[in-house]
């Protein structure tokens, strides 16, 4: 690893030995290697992508499920990790980890991990009761080739922009193959599909390896291929697309002088008001788009040696500074005549016929002139500098297939042979379409255009002038896929799915669909629709005998979804689906901004804003760790970071401070949400360099006061796309907020890591600039920040700069501002993230819930409920998106997915947690029945912490009945006719402590201070307490309950407090007020 660890974690190794185990305890689960899930990769001996890493000091982690009833409350006191080399099949080391930690970093100079070797590990743990759990299932990984040039031997980069299908053949002697125990294909390059002896080995992966800054690092994938190898002759094949290496659409903007790039400082703006296009390439660089680097190795079992049997090779003529063609690899243009992320893909089936069988051994081309030697391009500047790195993130894979909601025939050709269809999939997703091909005439084609919306005012009307879908918000992206028929007898009934593009879409328009033989009256009279119902579609009376049989295929980076929210409020549920969907469509090896238009970049503002909810919803550890590495790759030596990472196409450097702050926000989310301090430890040097750069920018501009007086804003974008531009704060205000917040978070992380000097430095700087922030922007007399807009007040409250009284006064100002604004949203990207939490914090939870439920335009509710373009699995970029058009109008932007963090608070997962969401009895996970607003009657939520998953469900019922069933018959005369029944269930992984708060609800709470409330508490249907609560009640004496450590009444919050840990709990609390007359 290139980045130095500030505080390396040291462990003591112990000899392996056996333990007496209790088989009723659950074994550890969720084993991970550097955040990657081994279960999502091919296992030993199977064909497919294997989990291979280059990190010699990987982090191994796990969690422990909830224990059974008799062990509830158990804590982990020690863990033992046993590791062995798979080929040896016996443990060579065992580590004992004292305490409750469920991860450790492998560091062992005596047993360094060896390239190409496969390792497995298991975990067992001992509880605080003295019991030892069974060993976990094994998790395996292997070491890749490593970074060094020696590791990649004589292999070199080959490729050509004109050659999209490559092949070679190689021999393995029968004697050698008999000795082989494993075989690996190591491959890197642009987007690709890889074949061994005619079989695709990358069948479960979409697109290709992840996006990087190619002059710094290139990811490679590792495939297990032994079952596919033949004795004697073998064939390797590659189909290549441009992917992110497409220079026309993704020109690099990083410091590229030494790569032969020429930057044009006078380039014109591509969009009105967008200055980030300065610096576009004024001439083409030396950069081949379709490239591959590959090695095939086999391991002989008797000596454990890896042998290279095939690779991409070629030699350079250094004297002539030219490259000779590689005579081993041959290439041809192939059937994909167009491939572009933005513009789509065209597949020419007649061209495919010309090279049929080319990926099989002993291939004899029909026309040898179609094939040419593939050039060695290892001399290109980026290729000489790039470091090969085993891909540290999960691959992009299919997640969902979606059948159409509706299929509309909107036109036919004059001869009745071809139909024109518009299809609605209901969901807005990132991906492509999978088509069951009909019978088509040779040379004819079907064309699919993708869009997010149908035509409607103000764009026009559906069908007006032959226009059905709205494409203007795609800008220059054509988003068009085409298939050209070969007319072969076996073509119909096969599936076609584009391989080297993706789109963001809900609707498609299909042109030239073969109708077959239309009936005389123009309607298919056959009632048997079995053939037309492949995807479970409804029956249609169509004028086409054949109607489209098609699915949407959604793919993204393949991470577990561990977060979910389901409530009694359907609007809340819909908001969750909208937020989750917008995130899912933008997890494309990096966090992109949108999936549909000519952008799809790693805009840092979006990535930083959604870092917390990404961690709550998905298993993003490896994903975010890799993105942090990419940020440092684009960081200049002076600490400057660009707006976009990797730095292609758009953006400035240095970035808008609110965009570059994503570097800190993502590290902090790994710490605060997951309790993992290692990302800070790894990037602490970069954090210091970045914050120093920010301080220099601040000083050069004369501080906040100097910026405000000069009128020259600090930042380019500021409060991005606010609902009310008239309340938009200055960019300086937004930059100041985000910078102070990054200083506060960096100080907190440095303190937690024991990095005391840096912690003091960051806290000192935060204190200094916070004082100036208050001096410049705060009016104490009116309890107002800036111009008093929703965003300015919400952000100031988030910084916690005021004492409690002043904080409440500013909260009152915010509530009044909201009232003056008609109870509607005026915020943009940053105000949106914090306004609801700021209202709750200042005891305006009702106003927060009302704002959330607002259905007027503009609002989230309007996005959901409007009758023009109701959102389903997406969030608009613009509040008034359906009324806007043209340059910037995405319908699937994840920057507003931050709403889902508040939904967790609404579900009772309190936002102001200690880091890690519940480690110990001292800092438990805070759960609140009724949530922060108490406007929902029931909800279930779940997510995952470093210590494992947890789930929290509750339901509140109120009604009449005089407290029926509560207490003895004589006691019931004390009760009024008002009572409440509260049920909560908590499922906590072993080691998680939680403090669950159950409020005394409604009018009962008001009566408690005068007369008392009678309470009956049950756990799993068994009564554990029955009695009255008064102002003097503190500790509640109850019957013993395993895992319940404390039951108390808190007068200040007027609530019952349950301290529980490790297990599954089911409590019911019945409350009734005591009659005042008794």
């Amino acid at each position: 690893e290139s980045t130095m660890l500030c505080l390396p974690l040291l462990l003591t190794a112990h000899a392996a030995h056996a333990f007496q185990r209790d088989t009723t305890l659950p074994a550890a689960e969720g084993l991970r290697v550097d955040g990657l899930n081994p279960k999502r990769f091919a296992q030993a001996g199977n064909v497919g992508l294997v989990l291979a890493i280059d990190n010699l000091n990987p982090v191994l982690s796990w969690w422990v499920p909830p224990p059974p009833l008799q062990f509830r409350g158990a804590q982990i006191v020690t863990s033992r990790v046993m590791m062995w080399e798979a080929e040896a099949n016996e443990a060579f080391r065992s580590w004992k980890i004292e305490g409750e930690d469920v991860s450790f970093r492998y560091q062992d100079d005596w047993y360094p991990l060896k390239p190409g070797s496969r390792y497995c590990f298991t975990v067992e743990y001992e509880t605080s009761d003295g019991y030892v759990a069974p060993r976990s299932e094994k998790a395996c990984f292997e070491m890749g080739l490593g970074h060094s040039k020696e590791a990649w031997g004589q292999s070199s980069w080959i490729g050509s922009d004109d050659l999209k299908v490559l092949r070679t053949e190689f021999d393995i002697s029968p004697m050698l193959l008999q000795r082989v125990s494993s075989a690996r294909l190591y491959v890197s390059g642009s987007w690709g599909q890889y074949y061994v002896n005619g079989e695709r080995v990358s069948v479960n992966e979409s697109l290709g390896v992840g996006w990087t800054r190619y002059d710094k690092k290139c990811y490679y994938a590792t495939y297990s291929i032994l079952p596919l190898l033949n004795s004697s002759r073998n064939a390797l094949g590659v189909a290549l697309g441009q992917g992110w290496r497409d220079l026309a659409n993704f020109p690099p903007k990083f410091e590229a002088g030494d790569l032969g790039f020429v930057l044009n400082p006078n380039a014109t703006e591509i969009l009105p008001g967008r200055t980030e296009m300065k610096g576009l390439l004024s001439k083409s660089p030396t950069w081949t788009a379709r490239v591959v680097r590959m090695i095939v190795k086999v391991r002989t079992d008797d000596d454990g040696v890896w042998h290279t049997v095939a690779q991409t090779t070629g030699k350079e003529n250094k004297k002539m500074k030219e490259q000779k063609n590689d005579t081993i690899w041959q290439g041809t243009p192939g059937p994909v005549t167009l491939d572009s992320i933005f513009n789509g893909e065209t597949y020419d089936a007649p061209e495919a016929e010309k090279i049929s069988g080319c990926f099989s051994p002993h291939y004899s081309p029909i026309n040898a002139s179609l094939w040419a030697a593939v050039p060695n391009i290892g001399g290109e500047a980026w290729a000489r500098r790039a470091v090969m790195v085993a891909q540290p993130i999960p691959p992009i894979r299919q997640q969902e297939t979606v059948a159409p909601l509706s299929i509309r025939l909107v036109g036919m050709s004059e001869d009745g042979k071809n139909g024109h269809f518009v299809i609605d999939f209901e969901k807005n997703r990132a991906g492509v379409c999978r088509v069951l091909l009909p019978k088509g005439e040779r040379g004819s084609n079907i064309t699919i255009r993708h869009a997010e919306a149908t035509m409607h005012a103000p764009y026009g009307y559906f069908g007006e002038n032959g226009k059905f879908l709205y494409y203007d918000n795609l800008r220059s992206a054509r988003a068009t896929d085409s298939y050209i028929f070969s007319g072969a007898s076996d073509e119909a009934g096969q599936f076609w799915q584009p391989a080297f593009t993706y789109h963001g879409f809900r609707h498609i328009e299909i042109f030239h669909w073969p109708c077959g033989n239309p009936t005389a009256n123009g309607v298919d009279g056959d009632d048997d629709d079995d053939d037309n119902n492949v995807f479970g579609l409804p029956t249609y009376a169509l004028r086409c005998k054949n109607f489209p049989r098609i699915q949407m295929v959604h793919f993204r980076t393949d991470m577990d979804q561990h977060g979910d929210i389901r409530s009694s409020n359907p609007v809340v549920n819909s908001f969750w689906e909208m937020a989750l969907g917008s995130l899912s469509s933008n997890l494309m090896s990096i966090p992109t901004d949108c999936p549909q238009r000519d952008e799809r970049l790693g805009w840092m503002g979006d990535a930083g804003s959604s870092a917390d909810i990404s961690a709550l919803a998905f298993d993003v550890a490896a994903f975010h760790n890799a993105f942090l590495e990419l940020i440092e790759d684009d960081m200049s030596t002076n600490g400057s970071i660009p707006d976009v990472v990797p730095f292609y196409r758009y953006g400035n450097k240095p970035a808008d401070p609110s965009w570059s702050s994503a570097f800190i926000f993502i590290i902090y989310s790994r710490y605060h949400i997951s309790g993992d301090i290692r990302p800070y430890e790894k990037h602490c040097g970069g954090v210091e360099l970045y914050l120093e750069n920010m301080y220099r920018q601040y000083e050069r501009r004369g501080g906040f006061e100097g910026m405000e007086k000069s009128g020259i804003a600090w930042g380019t974008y500021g409060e991005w796309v606010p609902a009310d531009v008239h309340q938009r704060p200055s960019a300086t205000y937004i930059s100041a907020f985000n910078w102070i917040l990054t200083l506060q978070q960096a100080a907190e992380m440095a303190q937690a890591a024991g990095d005391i000097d840096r912690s003091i430095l960051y806290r000192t700087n935060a204190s200094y600039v916070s004082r100036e922030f208050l001096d410049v922007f705060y009016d104490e007399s009116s309890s107002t920040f800036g111009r008093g807009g929703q965003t300015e007040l919400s952000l100031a409250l988030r910084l916690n700069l005021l004492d409690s009284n002043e904080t409440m006064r500013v909260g009152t100002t915010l509530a009044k501002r909201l009232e003056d604004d008609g109870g509607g949203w005026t915020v943009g990207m940053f105000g949106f993230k914090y306004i609801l939490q700021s209202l709750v914090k200042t005891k305006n939870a009702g106003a927060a819930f009302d704002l959330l439920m607002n259905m007027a335009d503009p609002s989230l509710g309007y996005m959901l409920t409007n009758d023009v373009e109701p959102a389903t699995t997406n969030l608009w970029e613009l509040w008034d998106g359906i009324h806007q058009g043209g340059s910037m109008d995405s319908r699937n932007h994840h920057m507003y997915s931050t709403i889902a963090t508040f939904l967790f608070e609404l579900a009772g997962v309190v936002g102001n947690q200690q880091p890690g969401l519940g480690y110990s009895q001292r800092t438990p996970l805070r759960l609140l029945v009724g949530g922060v607003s108490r406007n929902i009657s029931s909800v279930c939520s779940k997510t995952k912490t470093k210590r494992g998953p947890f789930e929290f469900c509750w339901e509140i019922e109120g009604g009449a009945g005089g407290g029926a069933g509560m207490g003895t018959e004589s006691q019931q005369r004390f009760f009024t006719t008002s009572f409440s029944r509260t049920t909560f269930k908590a499922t906590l992984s072993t080691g998680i402590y939680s403090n669950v708060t159950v409020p005394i609800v409604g009018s009962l709470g008001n009566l408690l201070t005068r007369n008392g409330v009678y309470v009956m508490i049950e756990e799993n249907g068994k009564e554990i307490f029955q009695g009255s609560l008064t102002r003097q009640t503190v500790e509640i004496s109850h019957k013993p309950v395993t895992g319940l450590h404390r039951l108390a009444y808190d007068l200040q919050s007027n609530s019952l407090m349950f301290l529980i840990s490790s297990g599954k709990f089911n409590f019911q609390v019945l409350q009734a007020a005591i009659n005042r007359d008794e």
Side-chain angles (χ1 to χ4, degrees):
E1 295 175 302
S2 58
T3 307
M4 179 187 67
L5 292 175
C6 295
L7 297 167
L9 304 177
L10 301 177
L11 291 169
T12 303
H14 298 266
H17 55 281
F19 298 95
Q20 183 178 357
R21 295 173 175 82
D22 190 311
T23 57
T24 60
L25 281 170
E29 294 182 1
L31 276 64
R32 299 288 191 270
V33 180
D34 280 342
L36 295 168
N37 183 356
K39 289 186 176 181
R40 289 186 174 267
F41 293 82
Q43 302 305 304
N46 297 332
V47 174
L49 186 69
V50 299
L51 175 49
I53 64 172
D54 284 334
N55 184 7
L56 295 175
N57 305 115
V59 173
L60 310 181
S61 59
W62 58 94
W63 67 76
V64 178
L69 178 64
Q70 68 271 28
F71 288 111
R72 281 194 320 198
Q75 302 302 308
I76 301 170
V77 293
T78 60
S79 298
R80 288 178 175 84
V81 178
M82 287 142 284
M83 181 182 288
W84 64 94
E85 191 171 351
E87 288 76 12
N89 205 30
E90 61 180 20
F92 64 85
R93 296 297 268 169
S94 173
W95 290 264
K96 181 178 180 181
I97 304 165
E98 301 287 353
E100 58 190 17
D101 202 3
V102 287
S103 68
F104 88 106
R105 183 183 294 279
Y106 182 94
Q107 289 180 317
D108 197 326
D109 294 336
W110 291 99
Y111 292 92
L113 302 179
K114 300 176 294 185
S117 292
R118 186 171 178 85
Y119 299 91
C120 299
F121 72 99
T122 61
V123 178
E124 63 184 16
Y125 63 94
E126 186 175 352
T127 70
S128 51
D129 299 326
Y131 294 97
V132 178
R135 291 181 181 177
S136 68
E137 293 183 358
K138 68 179 181 180
C140 299
F141 66 97
E142 62 186 61
M143 300 303 294
L145 287 181
H147 309 306
S148 68
K149 293 182 179 180
E150 292 78 12
W152 285 81
Q154 298 301 311
S155 71
S156 62
W157 291 99
I158 63 171
S160 166
D161 290 339
D162 299 321
L163 303 177
K164 305 169 189 176
V165 174
L166 315 182
R167 73 174 309 276
T168 192
E169 296 191 14
F170 63 97
D171 291 318
I172 301 179
S173 70
M175 291 184 62
L176 176 61
L177 191 59
Q178 289 177 1
R179 298 168 53 210
V180 170
S181 59
S182 57
R184 296 292 181 263
L185 167 65
Y186 302 96
V187 61
S188 180
S190 45
W191 287 2
Q193 297 179 338
Y194 316 113
Y195 297 80
V196 174
N197 292 327
E199 298 290 334
R200 184 178 165 191
V201 299
S202 55
V203 66
N204 293 322
E205 287 73 55
S206 302
L207 306 183
V209 292
W211 199 3
T212 62
R213 184 174 150 170
Y214 296 123
D215 67 316
K216 290 289 186 73
K217 65 164 65 93
C218 293
Y219 291 157
Y220 70 88
T222 304
Y223 288 94
S224 173
I225 60 171
L226 180 58
L228 302 179
L229 293 180
N230 299 326
S231 59
S232 66
R233 203 66 169 164
N234 292 269
L236 283 176
V238 184
L240 292 174
Q242 297 181 95
W244 293 297
R245 297 181 64 92
D246 178 0
L247 278 170
N249 291 315
F250 298 100
K253 294 199 67 182
F254 40 80
E255 297 88 348
D258 53 354
L259 294 183
F261 299 172
V262 178
L263 304 184
N264 180 6
N266 300 313
T268 58
E269 297 178 0
I270 193 169
L271 296 173
R274 298 284 287 273
T275 60
E276 65 269 30
M277 292 305 293
K278 292 180 179 179
L280 278 176
L281 300 171
S282 61
K283 73 174 185 179
S284 297
T286 306
W287 184 300
T288 303
R290 295 180 180 86
V291 301
V292 66
R293 190 176 189 182
M294 181 185 294
I295 295 181
V296 176
K297 287 179 174 284
V298 296
R299 185 181 190 274
T300 46
D301 196 31
D302 50 2
D303 56 11
V305 174
W306 284 94
H307 307 266
T308 299
V309 294
Q311 59 189 344
T312 50
T313 57
K315 296 182 179 180
E316 297 180 43
N317 186 334
K318 296 183 179 179
K319 182 176 181 181
M320 299 298 295
K321 296 186 179 179
E322 294 178 352
Q323 298 172 7
K324 293 183 177 180
N325 284 343
D326 183 345
T327 57
I328 300 176
W329 283 82
Q330 298 289 310
T332 187
V336 177
T337 59
L338 168 72
D339 69 278
S340 163
I341 294 178
F342 296 158
N343 297 324
E345 180 177 317
T346 298
Y347 186 89
D348 190 335
E351 291 298 314
E353 286 184 329
K354 297 177 182 178
I355 59 171
S356 177
C358 68
F359 293 147
S360 299
H362 306 290
Y363 170 69
S364 179
I366 299 172
N367 185 349
S369 66
L370 295 176
W371 293 86
V374 184
N376 167 25
I377 50 93
E380 294 184 2
W382 68 271
R384 294 197 305 268
R385 298 177 58 185
V387 174
M388 307 299 292
V389 176
Q391 177 157 295
I393 57 175
I396 294 172
R397 284 181 174 151
Q398 176 183 317
Q399 304 297 316
E400 179 185 18
T401 57
V402 183
L405 174 68
S406 66
I407 300 177
R408 301 175 69 174
L409 178 66
V410 296
M412 291 187 70
S413 61
E414 292 184 1
D415 59 8
K417 290 184 177 181
N418 297 313
H420 178 189
F421 292 87
V422 172
I423 296 178
D424 180 4
F425 290 100
E426 186 179 20
K427 297 180 179 181
N428 189 326
R429 294 289 204 204
V432 294
C433 287
R434 179 183 296 154
V435 182
L436 187 66
L437 293 172
K439 183 174 179 56
E441 296 180 2
R442 185 177 182 86
S444 65
N445 73 85
I446 54 173
T447 297
I448 304 172
R449 294 199 69 186
H450 304 74
E452 294 188 291
T454 59
M455 290 295 290
H456 59 74
Y459 317 128
Y461 297 95
F462 187 83
E464 183 180 13
N465 298 321
K467 296 181 179 180
F468 299 94
L469 299 186
Y470 172 59
Y471 298 110
D472 286 356
N473 73 324
L474 306 183
R475 300 197 301 223
S476 67
R478 292 180 58 234
T480 302
D481 298 331
S482 296
Y483 181 91
I484 301 174
F485 288 93
S486 69
S489 59
D490 61 347
E491 187 173 35
Q494 295 185 21
F495 285 100
W496 167 62
Q497 178 177 320
F500 303 119
T501 189
Y502 77 92
H503 315 285
F505 65 103
R506 169 175 172 163
H507 305 271
I508 61 170
E509 195 168 4
I510 304 182
F511 302 89
H512 320 305
W513 183 267
C515 284
N517 297 316
T519 58
N521 61 1
V523 177
D524 181 7
D526 185 1
D527 292 331
D528 183 3
D529 70 321
D530 289 344
D531 292 338
N532 292 338
N533 210 18
V534 178
F535 300 135
L537 301 174
T539 304
Y540 293 86
L542 300 174
R543 289 176 291 158
C544 255
K545 185 174 181 63
N546 302 316
F547 66 92
R549 309 166 194 185
I550 193 167
Q551 293 173 311
M552 170 194 285
V553 177
H554 167 50
F555 47 71
R556 60 162 168 83
T557 301
D558 189 32
M559 296 176 287
D560 293 331
Q561 179 195 328
H562 55 227
D564 194 29
I565 294 174
R566 291 290 179 268
S567 79
S568 57
N569 188 313
V571 174
V572 169
N573 298 340
S574 294
F575 286 166
W576 169 257
E577 292 298 330
M578 291 159 65
L580 189 72
S582 66
L583 280 172
S584 185
S585 288
N586 285 288
L587 299 172
M588 291 293 182
S589 102
I590 63 166
T592 59
D593 60 324
C594 62
Q596 76 294 101
R597 68 180 179 221
D598 57 354
E599 202 157 346
R600 314 184 205 187
L601 303 171
W603 281 100
M604 294 277 280
D606 304 74
S609 291
S610 63
D612 285 355
I613 185 54
S614 296
L616 288 167
F618 295 101
D619 189 5
V620 295
F623 183 80
H624 272 166
N625 288 346
F627 191 62
L628 290 171
E629 292 287 329
L630 296 180
I631 294 173
E632 287 226 33
D633 285 346
D634 268 320
M635 181 185 289
S636 299
T637 55
N638 67 357
S640 174
I641 293 174
D643 289 313
V644 172
V645 172
F647 196 21
Y648 294 89
R649 191 169 174 85
Y650 290 164
N652 295 315
K653 189 177 186 181
D656 182 308
S658 300
W659 267 240
S660 59
S661 60
F663 182 44
I664 308 298
F665 293 158
I666 294 172
I667 297 174
Y668 187 75
S669 76
R670 297 283 298 113
Y671 167 63
H672 186 255
I673 301 297
S674 303
D676 190 354
I677 196 61
R678 289 188 178 96
Y680 170 80
E681 293 171 342
K682 184 169 187 177
H683 295 282
C684 57
V687 168
E688 181 176 17
L689 196 62
Y690 165 69
L691 293 175
E692 286 176 350
N693 180 276
M694 291 292 294
Y695 200 90
R696 288 194 297 271
Q697 291 186 45
Y698 163 81
E699 284 189 320
R700 283 199 304 269
R701 288 168 170 77
F704 303 140
E705 184 177 9
M707 299 175 207
E708 290 293 287
K709 287 182 177 179
S710 69
I712 301 176
W714 189 22
T716 306
Y717 316 114
E719 176 67 318
W720 193 239
V721 292
D724 183 355
V725 295
H726 302 293
Q727 283 198 36
R728 186 176 191 173
S730 68
T732 298
Y733 188 95
I734 302 300
S735 296
F737 161 78
N738 282 294
W739 182 36
I740 293 171
L741 188 58
T742 59
L743 284 168
Q744 292 175 345
Q745 293 180 350
E748 182 182 341
M749 291 187 290
Q751 180 74 30
D755 194 4
I756 304 303
D757 290 343
R758 285 192 176 99
S759 179
I760 293 172
L761 173 64
Y762 301 150
R763 289 189 190 280
T764 301
N765 288 345
S767 177
Y768 176 79
V769 297
S770 295
R771 285 195 298 272
E772 194 195 3
F773 182 84
L774 292 173
D775 291 342
V776 173
F777 297 112
Y778 181 49
D779 183 352
E780 186 175 359
S781 64
S782 60
S783 300
T784 298
F785 281 83
R787 291 175 290 178
Q790 291 181 18
T791 291
E792 290 158 307
L793 295 166
S794 300
L795 300 191
L797 287 168
R798 172 62 183 86
L799 291 176
N800 300 315
L801 303 180
L802 306 174
D803 63 31
S804 58
N805 292 329
E806 288 180 295
T807 295
M808 296 305 295
R809 286 195 291 270
V810 174
T812 301
T813 304
L814 175 59
K816 181 63 167 58
R817 174 78 264 178
L818 184 60
E819 182 181 347
D820 292 344
D821 292 331
W825 303 86
T826 66
V827 296
M829 177 176 175
F830 295 103
F832 180 83
K833 182 174 182 178
Y834 297 110
I835 185 171
L836 297 178
Q837 288 89 339
S838 293
L839 286 167
V840 169
K841 175 182 179 179
T842 53
K843 302 190 184 306
N844 293 293
F849 188 79
D850 290 343
L851 180 60
L852 178 69
M853 292 291 111
N854 190 322
M855 300 294 151
D857 185 10
S859 68
L860 285 182
Y862 183 73
M863 293 185 197
L864 172 67
T865 61
N866 76 88
D867 58 3
V868 179
E869 276 188 52
T872 55
T873 55
N874 56 297
L875 291 162
W876 301 348
E877 179 182 21
L878 303 180
W879 289 97
D880 56 349
I882 61 174
H883 308 304
Q884 298 294 323
S887 65
M888 194 191 70
D889 194 9
S890 162
R891 303 301 205 273
N892 204 354
H893 247 64
H894 67 99
M895 62 187 181
Y896 290 138
S897 67
T898 54
I899 188 62
T901 57
F902 181 73
L903 298 184
F904 271 103
E905 296 193 38
L906 209 62
V909 183
V910 181
N912 185 25
Q913 300 283 352
Q914 294 292 328
L917 290 178
Y919 282 124
S920 64
Q921 190 168 354
R922 185 171 55 86
T923 57
L925 167 66
R926 297 168 58 203
L927 300 175
L928 174 61
V929 171
V932 293
S933 73
R934 306 183 190 178
N935 292 93
I936 298 177
S937 61
S938 66
V939 67
C940 272
S941 62
K942 64 180 181 180
T943 186
K944 188 174 79 69
T945 75
K946 179 183 178 182
R947 300 189 63 76
F950 74 85
E951 185 170 357
F952 181 48
C953 302
W954 50 261
E955 182 177 11
I956 299 175
E957 301 173 88
M966 295 181 60
T968 65
E969 182 176 348
S970 61
Q971 289 171 328
Q972 291 186 30
R973 63 190 177 89
F974 288 97
F975 304 153
T976 67
T977 58
S978 178
F979 78 98
S980 169
R981 178 184 290 107
T982 300
T983 302
F984 77 85
K985 299 178 181 179
T987 301
L988 307 175
S989 294
T990 299
I992 295 181
Y993 274 86
S994 178
N995 194 15
V996 182
T997 301
V998 180
I1000 304 298
V1001 299
S1003 61
L1004 302 179
N1006 298 329
L1007 291 172
L1008 177 60
T1009 56
R1010 286 179 286 171
N1011 302 92
V1013 167
Y1014 203 87
V1015 172
M1016 184 168 73
I1017 303 174
E1018 296 179 347
E1019 205 279 320
N1020 276 327
K1022 296 180 180 179
E1023 178 190 317
I1024 65 169
F1025 172 78
Q1026 185 173 177
S1028 60
L1029 303 179
T1030 68
R1031 293 170 60 94
Q1032 288 72 40
T1033 304
V1034 180
E1035 299 293 331
I1036 297 177
S1037 178
H1038 59 86
K1039 295 178 182 178
V1041 177
T1042 306
L1044 175 61
H1045 305 285
R1046 184 178 184 235
L1047 178 58
Y1049 167 69
D1050 179 66
L1051 178 62
Q1052 184 176 2
S1053 64
N1054 208 5
S1055 302
L1056 296 170
M1057 314 294 285
F1058 295 73
L1059 181 62
I1060 56 178
S1061 71
S1062 304
K1064 297 182 179 180
F1065 300 86
N1066 183 358
F1067 286 95
Q1068 180 173 258
V1069 179
L1070 293 96
Q1071 310 171 21
I1074 298 176
N1075 194 310
R1076 286 177 293 181
D1077 297 329
E1078 295 295 334

